[in-house]
Amino acid sequence: MIIIEFEAFSILSHTKVNDFVNFLEKGKIIGTICKKCGKKYFPSVTDCRKCLSNQFEWVELDNKGKLETFTMISVPPSRVQDYIPPSYNFNHYLIGIIKTNEGFRVMGWIRGLKLEDIEIGMDMKCKPLIFNRRGRKRVTIELIPLK
Amino acid sequence: MRRVAIVGIGHTKFGVRNASLRELAFEAAREALEDAKLTIDDLDSLIVGIVSAEFAKMVSPGAQIAEYLGINPKGSMRVEAACATGSAAIRAGYMTIASGLSDLVLVVGCEKMRELSTQEGLEIMSKAADTKWEYSFCCTFAGYYAMLANAHMKRYGTTEEQLAMVGVKNHSNALNNPYAHLHKKINIDDVLNSKMVAYPLKLYDSCPLSDGAAAVVLASDELANKFEEPIWISGLGVATDTASMMTRESYTEIRGATLAAREAYKYAKVDPSDIDLAEVHDAFTIGEILAYEDLGFCKKGKGGELVEEGETEIGGKIPVNTDGGLKAKGHPLGATGVSQAVEIVTQLRGEAGKRQVEGAEIGLSHNVGGNGQYIFVTIYKR
Ligand SMILES: [Zn+2]
C-alpha cells in the first residue's frame, strides 16, 4: 500500500520497493531478504541476483556502525534546494557512508559535526528523517555520531 | 581474430567552443582522415561515442553526426559507457574490425558540454551515479571522488599536497599541448588555496567542463600495413563495478581498474614495468593517484609518493598524462578515451614535440566511467 510516494526520497517515483519510504516514515531503515536463498540486500531489491527469486521479505537494519568515508560539498548541485533537510547549510553540507555492524553501507547526511570533528572509523548510527521542503514531504537518512 | 591498428588521428581544440556537436565531430574526423590520407568514401563504418545527448539538446545524436560527416548510408552506431565512452567506442571499433565485419572504421568521440550552464551540466552528470538511492543526498562527482580521497588519505596517509602535485604536473604538461583547454602554469599553493569544491578536492583538483572531439581511424592488419606508421591495439581490458557507492567493497581503489588492467596486460603480454607512458583518468587528482596503484605502477597506498618523487613526470620512470590529462586538457566526456588514444599514438610516432617521451614503444590508457562503474584499459604498441 502506498502511503507516501518513493519520490519523497528519490528522483524516481515508480518502484516495487515503495514500502522502503513508508518504513522510513515510521522510523525504520529496512533492507530485503530473499525468501529462497536468504541473501540480504540493502538498498532493498525485489529480485535476487544470486538465485533469481522474486520472493522477499522486509528486514530492519542494525542501524549502528562506523563511518567509512565522507565529504563536505561546497559546490552544490541545484537540486539541493529540493532535498536538503532543514538545519543543514546549503553551501557546506557533510554527507557520508557508514558500514553497519551487519556489513551494509548506508549513505546519509551527517548531523551535528563540523569538518574538523569528523574521523573515519568513528561510531555512528543511521536514522530516518522526515521533513517538509518547498511544500513537499521528504524522507531521508541522517548519520549521527554515537555517544 | 584479426589485428587492429590506428592509422589516423584527429583532435579538436578542447575548451568553450562556438561550434555544435556535429561540427566538433567533423573537425576531429577531418584531421584523422587527412592524417591517414583517406576520404569519407574509403570508410566502411562509423562508431560515435557520446555520453549524454541532453548536453547537446538532442536524442540519438549519432545519426545527426553520421549525416553531417557524410557517412550515410554506411553503418553507424553510438556507444555509451559514461565517462569511459571514448574507450568503449574504440573497443567497439576494434571488435567490428577484428570480427571481419569492417576493414576501415572511423571512431569519433565527442561532447558538447558548454551549450548548457555549469549548473545544468552538473545536474546531468549527477544522473550518471545511482539515481534511485543516492541522488537525493546531493552528492556531485567531485563529492564521490572526494569520498575516495578521504578514505585513501585516512588509510594510507596520502596528503592534500600530493593531490595538488598531480594538478601541477598536468597543468605543466598541458602548456605543451596546443589542444588543451587550460594553458595556465600553477603551483602547489595555487591548488591548495583554490576554492573548495568537495573536501578535500578543490577547484584545481578538478577538470573543467569542455567541448571537444577526437577521432581515430582503425584498420585491419592487412590494410594497416600499407600505412606509414600503424600503431597497434595490442591489449584490451574492461571491467565494471556498481554505480551505487553504498554497494562498493572498497573506497581506496577503483576495483574495476585493477581487474581491467590485469586483463589488458595479459592480452598484450606485458607487465606494468613495460609501459613507457600512460594516459589515466584524472577527472579529479585523486583519480590519478588511484590509477597509479590500480595499474600496478606502484604498490597500493604508494601513489602519493610516486607523484611526489617525480616519477610520473616526463623524464620519470612512468610519465603519466603527458598531454595535460583530463585535469588541464579538458574532459569532453565522450571524447576523452579517444583523446587518450590520440596522445598515445602521437607519442609512439615520436611526434609529441616538447612533451615527447623519448623512445616510447608501449602506451596505456585508463578510462573510468562515472564513479567507477565502467573501466577500460587499452594498450597500444608501435
Ligand atoms: Zn535468493
Side-chain angles (χ1 to χ4, degrees):
Chain A
M1 184 177 64
I2 292 176
I3 301 165
I4 51 174
E5 296 274 354
F6 199 74
E7 225 178 346
F9 173 78
S10 171
I11 188 176
L12 308 176
S13 59
H14 289 190
T15 174
K16 295 179 183 176
V17 292
N18 198 88
D19 272 347
F20 174 79
V21 294
N22 294 328
F23 277 106
L24 271 188
E25 204 203 11
K26 289 180 201 145
K28 292 178 180 177
I29 297 173
I30 51 148
T32 48
I33 185 162
C34 172
K35 273 187 176 175
K36 194 171 162 197
C37 77
K39 188 167 166 56
K40 216 167 158 184
Y41 290 95
F42 183 82
S44 320
V45 298
T46 58
D47 309 293
C48 182
R49 287 155 209 157
K50 199 172 153 199
C51 76
L52 303 181
S53 166
N54 61 357
Q55 300 298 307
F56 70 96
E57 278 176 338
W58 298 109
V59 55
E60 192 171 350
L61 253 48
D62 176 346
N63 70 346
K64 294 189 182 64
K66 290 183 187 303
L67 185 67
E68 282 268 289
T69 191
F70 71 97
T71 186
M72 183 176 72
I73 304 287
S74 300
V75 176
S78 48
R79 67 179 180 282
V80 75
Q81 305 274 353
D82 293 315
Y83 292 106
I84 197 169
S87 87
Y88 284 81
N89 184 332
F90 275 52
N91 295 312
H92 304 282
Y93 51 90
L94 287 153
I95 52 177
I97 298 170
I98 64 165
K99 186 176 180 183
T100 68
N101 296 329
E102 294 173 292
F104 291 109
R105 292 174 177 80
V106 181
M107 188 180 280
W109 305 87
I110 296 177
R111 190 170 88 190
L113 285 180
K114 292 198 182 89
L115 184 60
E116 54 269 31
D117 301 330
I118 289 195
E119 184 83 42
I120 287 176
M122 70 195 298
D123 293 318
M124 299 189 90
K125 66 175 178 181
C126 51
K127 192 170 179 287
L129 177 73
I130 302 127
F131 62 100
N132 282 291
R133 170 124 233 131
R134 291 178 146 186
R136 283 201 63 140
K137 185 165 192 168
R138 294 279 179 205
V139 289
T140 191
I141 297 170
E142 284 186 300
L143 306 180
I144 302 166
L146 286 175
K147 83 175 181 284
Chain B
M1 233 171 34
R2 304 196 297 175
R3 295 172 75 210
V4 179
I6 294 178
V7 298
I9 52 173
H11 205 289
T12 72
K13 164 81 178 157
F14 282 4
V16 183
R17 297 289 313 274
N18 184 21
S20 68
L21 184 66
R22 67 186 76 181
E23 291 160 354
L24 291 167
F26 200 101
E27 272 183 42
R30 175 200 286 126
E31 206 177 282
L33 289 166
E34 286 178 352
D35 179 51
K37 301 185 179 67
L38 295 170
T39 67
I40 295 276
D41 290 340
D42 297 319
L43 299 170
D44 295 325
S45 57
L46 169 73
I47 310 273
V48 179
I50 298 170
V51 172
S52 175
E54 281 186 78
F55 279 121
K57 300 182 178 172
M58 52 179 81
V59 171
S60 194
Q64 301 190 32
I65 286 170
E67 176 185 336
Y68 194 71
L69 294 182
I71 195 89
N72 305 137
K74 290 171 185 166
S76 163
M77 65 177 186
R78 171 191 172 193
V79 169
E80 185 275 314
C83 311
T85 288
S87 295
I90 288 178
R91 186 180 172 93
Y94 179 95
M95 294 190 290
T96 309
I97 292 175
S99 64
L101 288 172
S102 291
D103 293 318
L104 209 51
V105 175
L106 178 66
V107 177
V108 182
C110 48
E111 208 79 40
K112 175 68 193 170
M113 302 184 78
R114 300 300 291 261
E115 178 84 27
L116 305 179
S117 70
T118 301
Q119 276 297 329
E120 289 170 316
L122 292 177
E123 279 302 330
I124 292 172
M125 284 194 288
S126 287
K127 293 178 191 161
D130 183 316
T131 46
K132 185 169 179 176
W133 296 101
E134 299 180 357
Y135 183 82
S136 64
F137 296 107
C138 300
C139 196
T140 54
F141 263 93
Y144 289 122
Y145 270 97
M147 287 188 188
L148 302 180
N150 281 321
H152 201 270
M153 288 163 69
K154 171 73 178 178
R155 178 158 176 196
Y156 296 118
T158 305
T159 64
E160 289 179 57
E161 286 77 9
Q162 289 170 335
L163 298 179
M165 286 170 195
V166 171
V168 170
K169 168 181 71 71
N170 293 349
H171 270 262
S172 170
N173 288 344
L175 291 174
N176 293 317
N177 178 4
Y179 295 131
H181 184 166
L182 304 174
H183 285 129
K184 183 178 179 186
K185 195 163 179 62
I186 56 169
N187 61 38
I188 289 178
D189 285 335
D190 292 331
V191 183
L192 295 177
N193 295 328
S194 64
K195 181 180 164 56
M196 190 64 77
V197 174
Y199 178 83
L201 301 178
K202 302 155 197 86
L203 184 65
Y204 280 133
D205 286 302
S206 319
C207 66
L209 297 179
S210 313
D211 300 329
V216 292
V217 180
L218 302 182
S220 63
D221 46 9
E222 55 266 40
L223 276 181
N225 281 316
K226 294 177 185 158
F227 288 81
E228 219 165 280
E229 196 150 21
I231 300 297
W232 300 93
I233 298 177
S234 65
L236 301 99
V238 61
T240 55
D241 206 340
T242 62
S244 142
M245 289 292 278
M246 283 194 273
T247 45
R248 286 284 171 84
E249 288 300 317
S250 166
Y251 301 120
T252 54
E253 68 167 347
I254 306 257
R255 186 185 61 174
T258 308
L259 300 174
R262 202 176 292 160
E263 187 175 297
Y265 289 135
K266 194 175 162 202
Y267 197 136
K269 299 188 180 70
V270 297
D271 291 319
S273 61
D274 296 322
I275 305 299
D276 296 315
L277 79 144
E279 286 280 297
V280 312
H281 201 92
D282 62 331
F284 301 96
T285 49
I286 180 65
E288 181 164 323
I289 285 176
L290 295 173
Y292 299 159
E293 300 173 9
D294 297 342
L295 294 168
F297 297 154
C298 63
K299 288 205 175 76
K300 296 276 182 192
K302 299 289 184 188
E305 286 174 35
L306 195 70
V307 67
E308 187 163 1
E309 288 159 1
E311 295 291 11
T312 55
E313 290 168 15
I314 296 166
K317 192 175 75 180
I318 170 71
V320 173
N321 288 332
T322 51
D323 59 355
L326 286 60
K327 172 67 210 76
K329 179 185 58 180
H331 179 28
L333 311 179
T336 288
V338 184
S339 170
Q340 291 179 324
V342 168
E343 173 65 5
I344 291 169
V345 170
T346 305
Q347 289 281 356
L348 299 190
R349 286 177 178 176
E351 295 172 351
K354 281 186 179 169
R355 61 180 200 279
Q356 182 64 45
V357 175
E358 289 309 321
E361 299 273 338
I362 304 177
L364 174 149
S365 72
H366 156 280
N367 197 187
V368 179
N371 46 343
Q373 57 260 48
Y374 292 106
I375 303 91
F376 292 78
V377 174
T378 314
I379 295 172
Y380 301 89
K381 275 189 199 172
R382 274 178 60 128

